[in-house]
Amino acid sequence: GKAMPTNNNKNRPSNYFIVTARAFRKEGEDGGVQLTKNGQPIAKCRASVSMGKDRETDQYKPSMWLELVGYTAEGDDANAITEAVGALQTGEYVTVKGRLAMEEWTGDDGVARQSYTLWVNAIEPFSFDNANDAAEEEDDEELI
């Protein structure tokens, strides 16, 4: 699939997204900072966003999955945000702010699919001290 361009939306706040997510790395996946073929530092990490519990069944709803991307546009030294995305470990909760992009494609089974990429502008460890009181703690959620 082809990513939506994010660079022409700089002055439009509509895709600016703030969310708390839980990092997830597959077994054996290192993380860290890689370089693009142009030599720019980039780091990626999958993350889940809880959609809470279904009131009827008391079961957790399926999580929303995002690809968090830290990207350093200038120079060959990774900036702090790119380093932080690269350092994320499975199970860590972070609050991230950035530009949301959606990709759509059709799978081999003919089913239309979507994926979401968050180009991270800011990242910090989540704590209830810096969240508003409406946040509900969810500590039992299974990673998919």
PDB file of all heavy atoms in Angstrom, residues 91-124:
ATOM      1  N   GLY A  91       5.291  -3.903  26.435  1.00  0.00           N
ATOM      2  CA  GLY A  91       4.607  -3.688  27.701  1.00  0.00           C
ATOM      3  C   GLY A  91       4.711  -2.265  28.217  1.00  0.00           C
ATOM      4  O   GLY A  91       3.944  -1.876  29.097  1.00  0.00           O
ATOM      5  N   GLU A  92       5.645  -1.478  27.686  1.00  0.00           N
ATOM      6  CA  GLU A  92       5.767  -0.084  28.127  1.00  0.00           C
ATOM      7  C   GLU A  92       4.579   0.730  27.628  1.00  0.00           C
ATOM      8  O   GLU A  92       4.175   0.609  26.485  1.00  0.00           O
ATOM      9  CB  GLU A  92       7.040   0.556  27.551  1.00  0.00           C
ATOM     10  CG  GLU A  92       8.291   0.304  28.326  1.00  0.00           C
ATOM     11  CD  GLU A  92       9.448   1.131  27.755  1.00  0.00           C
ATOM     12  OE1 GLU A  92       9.535   2.326  28.090  1.00  0.00           O
ATOM     13  OE2 GLU A  92      10.221   0.559  26.973  1.00  0.00           O
ATOM     14  N   TYR A  93       4.056   1.582  28.518  1.00  0.00           N
ATOM     15  CA  TYR A  93       3.005   2.519  28.135  1.00  0.00           C
ATOM     16  C   TYR A  93       3.620   3.887  27.899  1.00  0.00           C
ATOM     17  O   TYR A  93       4.391   4.369  28.735  1.00  0.00           O
ATOM     18  CB  TYR A  93       1.954   2.639  29.238  1.00  0.00           C
ATOM     19  CG  TYR A  93       1.038   1.443  29.321  1.00  0.00           C
ATOM     20  CD1 TYR A  93       1.308   0.401  30.199  1.00  0.00           C
ATOM     21  CD2 TYR A  93      -0.104   1.361  28.527  1.00  0.00           C
ATOM     22  CE1 TYR A  93       0.455  -0.692  30.289  1.00  0.00           C
ATOM     23  CE2 TYR A  93      -0.954   0.268  28.604  1.00  0.00           C
ATOM     24  CZ  TYR A  93      -0.668  -0.755  29.484  1.00  0.00           C
ATOM     25  OH  TYR A  93      -1.502  -1.837  29.573  1.00  0.00           O
ATOM     26  N   VAL A  94       3.275   4.495  26.768  1.00  0.00           N
ATOM     27  CA  VAL A  94       3.767   5.829  26.457  1.00  0.00           C
ATOM     28  C   VAL A  94       2.619   6.691  25.947  1.00  0.00           C
ATOM     29  O   VAL A  94       1.658   6.179  25.351  1.00  0.00           O
ATOM     30  CB  VAL A  94       4.883   5.816  25.382  1.00  0.00           C
ATOM     31  CG1 VAL A  94       6.191   5.329  25.962  1.00  0.00           C
ATOM     32  CG2 VAL A  94       4.480   5.007  24.162  1.00  0.00           C
ATOM     33  N   THR A  95       2.710   7.979  26.208  1.00  0.00           N
ATOM     34  CA  THR A  95       1.799   8.937  25.597  1.00  0.00           C
ATOM     35  C   THR A  95       2.551   9.567  24.436  1.00  0.00           C
ATOM     36  O   THR A  95       3.665  10.054  24.614  1.00  0.00           O
ATOM     37  CB  THR A  95       1.346  10.004  26.605  1.00  0.00           C
ATOM     38  OG1 THR A  95       0.669   9.343  27.687  1.00  0.00           O
ATOM     39  CG2 THR A  95       0.393  10.995  25.961  1.00  0.00           C
ATOM     40  N   VAL A  96       1.953   9.465  23.247  1.00  0.00           N
ATOM     41  CA  VAL A  96       2.600   9.949  22.035  1.00  0.00           C
ATOM     42  C   VAL A  96       1.711  10.982  21.354  1.00  0.00           C
ATOM     43  O   VAL A  96       0.485  10.902  21.431  1.00  0.00           O
ATOM     44  CB  VAL A  96       2.925   8.794  21.045  1.00  0.00           C
ATOM     45  CG1 VAL A  96       4.107   7.987  21.516  1.00  0.00           C
ATOM     46  CG2 VAL A  96       1.723   7.904  20.831  1.00  0.00           C
ATOM     47  N   LYS A  97       2.357  11.939  20.721  1.00  0.00           N
ATOM     48  CA  LYS A  97       1.664  12.955  19.938  1.00  0.00           C
ATOM     49  C   LYS A  97       2.290  12.940  18.558  1.00  0.00           C
ATOM     50  O   LYS A  97       3.506  12.778  18.431  1.00  0.00           O
ATOM     51  CB  LYS A  97       1.868  14.346  20.546  1.00  0.00           C
ATOM     52  CG  LYS A  97       1.399  14.464  21.972  1.00  0.00           C
ATOM     53  CD  LYS A  97       1.744  15.825  22.553  1.00  0.00           C
ATOM     54  CE  LYS A  97       1.363  15.870  24.030  1.00  0.00           C
ATOM     55  NZ  LYS A  97       1.675  17.191  24.626  1.00  0.00           N
ATOM     56  N   GLY A  98       1.466  13.091  17.538  1.00  0.00           N
ATOM     57  CA  GLY A  98       2.028  13.136  16.198  1.00  0.00           C
ATOM     58  C   GLY A  98       0.967  13.147  15.130  1.00  0.00           C
ATOM     59  O   GLY A  98      -0.214  13.313  15.403  1.00  0.00           O
ATOM     60  N   ARG A  99       1.423  12.935  13.896  1.00  0.00           N
ATOM     61  CA  ARG A  99       0.538  12.963  12.730  1.00  0.00           C
ATOM     62  C   ARG A  99       0.122  11.537  12.383  1.00  0.00           C
ATOM     63  O   ARG A  99       0.967  10.665  12.216  1.00  0.00           O
ATOM     64  CB  ARG A  99       1.261  13.575  11.540  1.00  0.00           C
ATOM     65  CG  ARG A  99       1.796  14.947  11.856  1.00  0.00           C
ATOM     66  CD  ARG A  99       1.165  16.026  11.003  1.00  0.00           C
ATOM     67  NE  ARG A  99       1.520  17.335  11.537  1.00  0.00           N
ATOM     68  CZ  ARG A  99       0.631  18.226  11.969  1.00  0.00           C
ATOM     69  NH1 ARG A  99      -0.653  17.957  11.938  1.00  0.00           N
ATOM     70  NH2 ARG A  99       1.024  19.388  12.436  1.00  0.00           N
ATOM     71  N   LEU A 100      -1.180  11.338  12.272  1.00  0.00           N
ATOM     72  CA  LEU A 100      -1.724  10.023  11.976  1.00  0.00           C
ATOM     73  C   LEU A 100      -1.910   9.865  10.473  1.00  0.00           C
ATOM     74  O   LEU A 100      -2.475  10.732   9.817  1.00  0.00           O
ATOM     75  CB  LEU A 100      -3.068   9.846  12.682  1.00  0.00           C
ATOM     76  CG  LEU A 100      -3.666   8.447  12.641  1.00  0.00           C
ATOM     77  CD1 LEU A 100      -2.817   7.470  13.448  1.00  0.00           C
ATOM     78  CD2 LEU A 100      -5.090   8.464  13.176  1.00  0.00           C
ATOM     79  N   ALA A 101      -1.386   8.765   9.931  1.00  0.00           N
ATOM     80  CA  ALA A 101      -1.574   8.444   8.512  1.00  0.00           C
ATOM     81  C   ALA A 101      -2.204   7.058   8.422  1.00  0.00           C
ATOM     82  O   ALA A 101      -1.921   6.186   9.244  1.00  0.00           O
ATOM     83  CB  ALA A 101      -0.243   8.470   7.775  1.00  0.00           C
ATOM     84  N   MET A 102      -3.068   6.857   7.449  1.00  0.00           N
ATOM     85  CA  MET A 102      -3.721   5.565   7.256  1.00  0.00           C
ATOM     86  C   MET A 102      -3.344   5.003   5.902  1.00  0.00           C
ATOM     87  O   MET A 102      -3.326   5.727   4.912  1.00  0.00           O
ATOM     88  CB  MET A 102      -5.235   5.712   7.335  1.00  0.00           C
ATOM     89  CG  MET A 102      -5.957   4.384   7.226  1.00  0.00           C
ATOM     90  SD  MET A 102      -7.751   4.554   7.324  1.00  0.00           S
ATOM     91  CE  MET A 102      -8.097   5.358   5.772  1.00  0.00           C
ATOM     92  N   GLU A 103      -3.024   3.718   5.894  1.00  0.00           N
ATOM     93  CA  GLU A 103      -2.814   3.015   4.629  1.00  0.00           C
ATOM     94  C   GLU A 103      -3.963   2.038   4.438  1.00  0.00           C
ATOM     95  O   GLU A 103      -4.429   1.427   5.404  1.00  0.00           O
ATOM     96  CB  GLU A 103      -1.509   2.218   4.658  1.00  0.00           C
ATOM     97  CG  GLU A 103      -0.265   3.063   4.617  1.00  0.00           C
ATOM     98  CD  GLU A 103       0.980   2.208   4.427  1.00  0.00           C
ATOM     99  OE1 GLU A 103       0.961   1.308   3.566  1.00  0.00           O
ATOM    100  OE2 GLU A 103       1.949   2.445   5.153  1.00  0.00           O
ATOM    101  N   GLU A 104      -4.420   1.901   3.206  1.00  0.00           N
ATOM    102  CA  GLU A 104      -5.464   0.926   2.887  1.00  0.00           C
ATOM    103  C   GLU A 104      -4.957   0.018   1.778  1.00  0.00           C
ATOM    104  O   GLU A 104      -4.279   0.483   0.857  1.00  0.00           O
ATOM    105  CB  GLU A 104      -6.731   1.637   2.415  1.00  0.00           C
ATOM    106  CG  GLU A 104      -7.374   2.485   3.494  1.00  0.00           C
ATOM    107  CD  GLU A 104      -8.651   3.158   3.006  1.00  0.00           C
ATOM    108  OE1 GLU A 104      -8.536   4.121   2.227  1.00  0.00           O
ATOM    109  OE2 GLU A 104      -9.737   2.719   3.393  1.00  0.00           O
ATOM    110  N   TRP A 105      -5.262  -1.250   1.888  1.00  0.00           N
ATOM    111  CA  TRP A 105      -4.875  -2.190   0.831  1.00  0.00           C
ATOM    112  C   TRP A 105      -5.837  -3.366   0.864  1.00  0.00           C
ATOM    113  O   TRP A 105      -6.629  -3.523   1.785  1.00  0.00           O
ATOM    114  CB  TRP A 105      -3.430  -2.651   1.017  1.00  0.00           C
ATOM    115  CG  TRP A 105      -3.207  -3.597   2.149  1.00  0.00           C
ATOM    116  CD1 TRP A 105      -3.160  -4.959   2.096  1.00  0.00           C
ATOM    117  CD2 TRP A 105      -3.024  -3.257   3.535  1.00  0.00           C
ATOM    118  NE1 TRP A 105      -2.959  -5.485   3.349  1.00  0.00           N
ATOM    119  CE2 TRP A 105      -2.868  -4.465   4.242  1.00  0.00           C
ATOM    120  CE3 TRP A 105      -2.988  -2.061   4.243  1.00  0.00           C
ATOM    121  CZ2 TRP A 105      -2.684  -4.502   5.631  1.00  0.00           C
ATOM    122  CZ3 TRP A 105      -2.801  -2.099   5.618  1.00  0.00           C
ATOM    123  CH2 TRP A 105      -2.650  -3.305   6.291  1.00  0.00           C
ATOM    124  N   THR A 106      -5.764  -4.184  -0.185  1.00  0.00           N
ATOM    125  CA  THR A 106      -6.583  -5.386  -0.260  1.00  0.00           C
ATOM    126  C   THR A 106      -5.675  -6.586  -0.059  1.00  0.00           C
ATOM    127  O   THR A 106      -4.668  -6.730  -0.753  1.00  0.00           O
ATOM    128  CB  THR A 106      -7.296  -5.482  -1.619  1.00  0.00           C
ATOM    129  OG1 THR A 106      -8.071  -4.292  -1.800  1.00  0.00           O
ATOM    130  CG2 THR A 106      -8.210  -6.695  -1.666  1.00  0.00           C
ATOM    131  N   GLY A 107      -6.022  -7.425   0.907  1.00  0.00           N
ATOM    132  CA  GLY A 107      -5.228  -8.613   1.202  1.00  0.00           C
ATOM    133  C   GLY A 107      -5.386  -9.669   0.129  1.00  0.00           C
ATOM    134  O   GLY A 107      -6.227  -9.553  -0.765  1.00  0.00           O
ATOM    135  N   ASP A 108      -4.571 -10.727   0.219  1.00  0.00           N
ATOM    136  CA  ASP A 108      -4.644 -11.840  -0.731  1.00  0.00           C
ATOM    137  C   ASP A 108      -6.029 -12.488  -0.720  1.00  0.00           C
ATOM    138  O   ASP A 108      -6.448 -13.086  -1.701  1.00  0.00           O
ATOM    139  CB  ASP A 108      -3.592 -12.898  -0.397  1.00  0.00           C
ATOM    140  CG  ASP A 108      -2.192 -12.341  -0.551  1.00  0.00           C
ATOM    141  OD1 ASP A 108      -2.013 -11.361  -1.295  1.00  0.00           O
ATOM    142  OD2 ASP A 108      -1.270 -12.888   0.086  1.00  0.00           O
ATOM    143  N   ASP A 109      -6.738 -12.356   0.415  1.00  0.00           N
ATOM    144  CA  ASP A 109      -8.076 -12.943   0.542  1.00  0.00           C
ATOM    145  C   ASP A 109      -9.163 -12.029  -0.022  1.00  0.00           C
ATOM    146  O   ASP A 109     -10.344 -12.333   0.089  1.00  0.00           O
ATOM    147  CB  ASP A 109      -8.376 -13.262   2.000  1.00  0.00           C
ATOM    148  CG  ASP A 109      -8.174 -12.057   2.911  1.00  0.00           C
ATOM    149  OD1 ASP A 109      -7.959 -10.935   2.399  1.00  0.00           O
ATOM    150  OD2 ASP A 109      -8.235 -12.236   4.139  1.00  0.00           O
ATOM    151  N   GLY A 110      -8.762 -10.885  -0.611  1.00  0.00           N
ATOM    152  CA  GLY A 110      -9.737  -9.964  -1.185  1.00  0.00           C
ATOM    153  C   GLY A 110     -10.370  -9.020  -0.178  1.00  0.00           C
ATOM    154  O   GLY A 110     -11.230  -8.221  -0.539  1.00  0.00           O
ATOM    155  N   VAL A 111      -9.963  -9.119   1.089  1.00  0.00           N
ATOM    156  CA  VAL A 111     -10.551  -8.274   2.132  1.00  0.00           C
ATOM    157  C   VAL A 111      -9.783  -6.952   2.235  1.00  0.00           C
ATOM    158  O   VAL A 111      -8.551  -6.944   2.269  1.00  0.00           O
ATOM    159  CB  VAL A 111     -10.537  -9.000   3.501  1.00  0.00           C
ATOM    160  CG1 VAL A 111     -11.082  -8.101   4.611  1.00  0.00           C
ATOM    161  CG2 VAL A 111     -11.334 -10.294   3.418  1.00  0.00           C
ATOM    162  N   ALA A 112     -10.542  -5.851   2.251  1.00  0.00           N
ATOM    163  CA  ALA A 112      -9.927  -4.528   2.400  1.00  0.00           C
ATOM    164  C   ALA A 112      -9.388  -4.393   3.830  1.00  0.00           C
ATOM    165  O   ALA A 112     -10.060  -4.758   4.794  1.00  0.00           O
ATOM    166  CB  ALA A 112     -10.949  -3.439   2.115  1.00  0.00           C
ATOM    167  N   ARG A 113      -8.176  -3.898   3.958  1.00  0.00           N
ATOM    168  CA  ARG A 113      -7.554  -3.724   5.273  1.00  0.00           C
ATOM    169  C   ARG A 113      -7.013  -2.308   5.404  1.00  0.00           C
ATOM    170  O   ARG A 113      -6.772  -1.634   4.412  1.00  0.00           O
ATOM    171  CB  ARG A 113      -6.419  -4.725   5.454  1.00  0.00           C
ATOM    172  CG  ARG A 113      -6.892  -6.162   5.520  1.00  0.00           C
ATOM    173  CD  ARG A 113      -5.844  -7.049   6.176  1.00  0.00           C
ATOM    174  NE  ARG A 113      -6.442  -8.303   6.600  1.00  0.00           N
ATOM    175  CZ  ARG A 113      -6.809  -9.280   5.779  1.00  0.00           C
ATOM    176  NH1 ARG A 113      -6.650  -9.147   4.479  1.00  0.00           N
ATOM    177  NH2 ARG A 113      -7.332 -10.390   6.255  1.00  0.00           N
ATOM    178  N   GLN A 114      -6.811  -1.911   6.660  1.00  0.00           N
ATOM    179  CA  GLN A 114      -6.246  -0.596   6.958  1.00  0.00           C
ATOM    180  C   GLN A 114      -5.163  -0.757   8.002  1.00  0.00           C
ATOM    181  O   GLN A 114      -5.222  -1.659   8.844  1.00  0.00           O
ATOM    182  CB  GLN A 114      -7.316   0.336   7.528  1.00  0.00           C
ATOM    183  CG  GLN A 114      -8.442   0.635   6.568  1.00  0.00           C
ATOM    184  CD  GLN A 114      -9.558   1.431   7.226  1.00  0.00           C
ATOM    185  OE1 GLN A 114      -9.774   1.328   8.420  1.00  0.00           O
ATOM    186  NE2 GLN A 114     -10.255   2.217   6.431  1.00  0.00           N
ATOM    187  N   SER A 115      -4.163   0.099   7.945  1.00  0.00           N
ATOM    188  CA  SER A 115      -3.200   0.173   9.037  1.00  0.00           C
ATOM    189  C   SER A 115      -2.929   1.640   9.318  1.00  0.00           C
ATOM    190  O   SER A 115      -3.124   2.499   8.442  1.00  0.00           O
ATOM    191  CB  SER A 115      -1.902  -0.560   8.688  1.00  0.00           C
ATOM    192  OG  SER A 115      -1.243   0.100   7.629  1.00  0.00           O
ATOM    193  N   TYR A 116      -2.507   1.910  10.531  1.00  0.00           N
ATOM    194  CA  TYR A 116      -2.304   3.281  10.967  1.00  0.00           C
ATOM    195  C   TYR A 116      -0.857   3.482  11.382  1.00  0.00           C
ATOM    196  O   TYR A 116      -0.279   2.651  12.078  1.00  0.00           O
ATOM    197  CB  TYR A 116      -3.218   3.604  12.152  1.00  0.00           C
ATOM    198  CG  TYR A 116      -4.673   3.501  11.784  1.00  0.00           C
ATOM    199  CD1 TYR A 116      -5.374   2.320  11.983  1.00  0.00           C
ATOM    200  CD2 TYR A 116      -5.333   4.578  11.209  1.00  0.00           C
ATOM    201  CE1 TYR A 116      -6.708   2.210  11.624  1.00  0.00           C
ATOM    202  CE2 TYR A 116      -6.672   4.482  10.844  1.00  0.00           C
ATOM    203  CZ  TYR A 116      -7.356   3.299  11.058  1.00  0.00           C
ATOM    204  OH  TYR A 116      -8.670   3.198  10.687  1.00  0.00           O
ATOM    205  N   THR A 117      -0.286   4.589  10.929  1.00  0.00           N
ATOM    206  CA  THR A 117       1.066   4.980  11.301  1.00  0.00           C
ATOM    207  C   THR A 117       0.980   6.304  12.030  1.00  0.00           C
ATOM    208  O   THR A 117       0.307   7.232  11.560  1.00  0.00           O
ATOM    209  CB  THR A 117       1.954   5.142  10.047  1.00  0.00           C
ATOM    210  OG1 THR A 117       2.003   3.889   9.362  1.00  0.00           O
ATOM    211  CG2 THR A 117       3.363   5.573  10.429  1.00  0.00           C
ATOM    212  N   LEU A 118       1.643   6.392  13.183  1.00  0.00           N
ATOM    213  CA  LEU A 118       1.735   7.662  13.892  1.00  0.00           C
ATOM    214  C   LEU A 118       3.168   8.157  13.782  1.00  0.00           C
ATOM    215  O   LEU A 118       4.091   7.526  14.310  1.00  0.00           O
ATOM    216  CB  LEU A 118       1.329   7.505  15.359  1.00  0.00           C
ATOM    217  CG  LEU A 118       1.197   8.843  16.100  1.00  0.00           C
ATOM    218  CD1 LEU A 118      -0.069   9.567  15.654  1.00  0.00           C
ATOM    219  CD2 LEU A 118       1.174   8.642  17.592  1.00  0.00           C
ATOM    220  N   TRP A 119       3.359   9.258  13.045  1.00  0.00           N
ATOM    221  CA  TRP A 119       4.669   9.899  12.899  1.00  0.00           C
ATOM    222  C   TRP A 119       4.851  10.743  14.159  1.00  0.00           C
ATOM    223  O   TRP A 119       4.179  11.757  14.333  1.00  0.00           O
ATOM    224  CB  TRP A 119       4.724  10.738  11.627  1.00  0.00           C
ATOM    225  CG  TRP A 119       4.657   9.873  10.402  1.00  0.00           C
ATOM    226  CD1 TRP A 119       3.529   9.415   9.770  1.00  0.00           C
ATOM    227  CD2 TRP A 119       5.760   9.328   9.682  1.00  0.00           C
ATOM    228  NE1 TRP A 119       3.884   8.624   8.699  1.00  0.00           N
ATOM    229  CE2 TRP A 119       5.243   8.560   8.616  1.00  0.00           C
ATOM    230  CE3 TRP A 119       7.152   9.422   9.822  1.00  0.00           C
ATOM    231  CZ2 TRP A 119       6.051   7.881   7.709  1.00  0.00           C
ATOM    232  CZ3 TRP A 119       7.958   8.751   8.916  1.00  0.00           C
ATOM    233  CH2 TRP A 119       7.409   7.998   7.873  1.00  0.00           C
ATOM    234  N   VAL A 120       5.715  10.284  15.053  1.00  0.00           N
ATOM    235  CA  VAL A 120       5.773  10.819  16.413  1.00  0.00           C
ATOM    236  C   VAL A 120       6.489  12.172  16.457  1.00  0.00           C
ATOM    237  O   VAL A 120       7.614  12.312  15.976  1.00  0.00           O
ATOM    238  CB  VAL A 120       6.482   9.810  17.353  1.00  0.00           C
ATOM    239  CG1 VAL A 120       6.567  10.353  18.760  1.00  0.00           C
ATOM    240  CG2 VAL A 120       5.754   8.464  17.329  1.00  0.00           C
ATOM    241  N   ASN A 121       5.814  13.169  17.058  1.00  0.00           N
ATOM    242  CA  ASN A 121       6.402  14.486  17.322  1.00  0.00           C
ATOM    243  C   ASN A 121       6.847  14.635  18.775  1.00  0.00           C
ATOM    244  O   ASN A 121       7.692  15.471  19.081  1.00  0.00           O
ATOM    245  CB  ASN A 121       5.394  15.610  17.061  1.00  0.00           C
ATOM    246  CG  ASN A 121       5.053  15.763  15.598  1.00  0.00           C
ATOM    247  OD1 ASN A 121       3.941  15.470  15.199  1.00  0.00           O
ATOM    248  ND2 ASN A 121       6.010  16.210  14.810  1.00  0.00           N
ATOM    249  N   ALA A 122       6.211  13.871  19.682  1.00  0.00           N
ATOM    250  CA  ALA A 122       6.560  13.938  21.104  1.00  0.00           C
ATOM    251  C   ALA A 122       6.203  12.604  21.735  1.00  0.00           C
ATOM    252  O   ALA A 122       5.241  11.952  21.333  1.00  0.00           O
ATOM    253  CB  ALA A 122       5.805  15.076  21.795  1.00  0.00           C
ATOM    254  N   ILE A 123       6.999  12.192  22.714  1.00  0.00           N
ATOM    255  CA  ILE A 123       6.765  10.910  23.380  1.00  0.00           C
ATOM    256  C   ILE A 123       7.222  11.029  24.818  1.00  0.00           C
ATOM    257  O   ILE A 123       8.248  11.638  25.110  1.00  0.00           O
ATOM    258  CB  ILE A 123       7.520   9.763  22.641  1.00  0.00           C
ATOM    259  CG1 ILE A 123       7.245   8.408  23.295  1.00  0.00           C
ATOM    260  CG2 ILE A 123       9.001  10.047  22.510  1.00  0.00           C
ATOM    261  CD1 ILE A 123       7.747   7.220  22.468  1.00  0.00           C
ATOM    262  N   GLU A 124       6.410  10.504  25.739  1.00  0.00           N
ATOM    263  CA  GLU A 124       6.817  10.487  27.147  1.00  0.00           C
ATOM    264  C   GLU A 124       6.244   9.245  27.814  1.00  0.00           C
ATOM    265  O   GLU A 124       5.207   8.726  27.380  1.00  0.00           O
ATOM    266  CB  GLU A 124       6.357  11.757  27.868  1.00  0.00           C
ATOM    267  CG  GLU A 124       4.871  11.945  27.914  1.00  0.00           C
ATOM    268  CD  GLU A 124       4.459  13.255  28.598  1.00  0.00           C
ATOM    269  OE1 GLU A 124       5.221  14.227  28.526  1.00  0.00           O
ATOM    270  OE2 GLU A 124       3.376  13.281  29.197  1.00  0.00           O
TER     271      GLU A 124
END
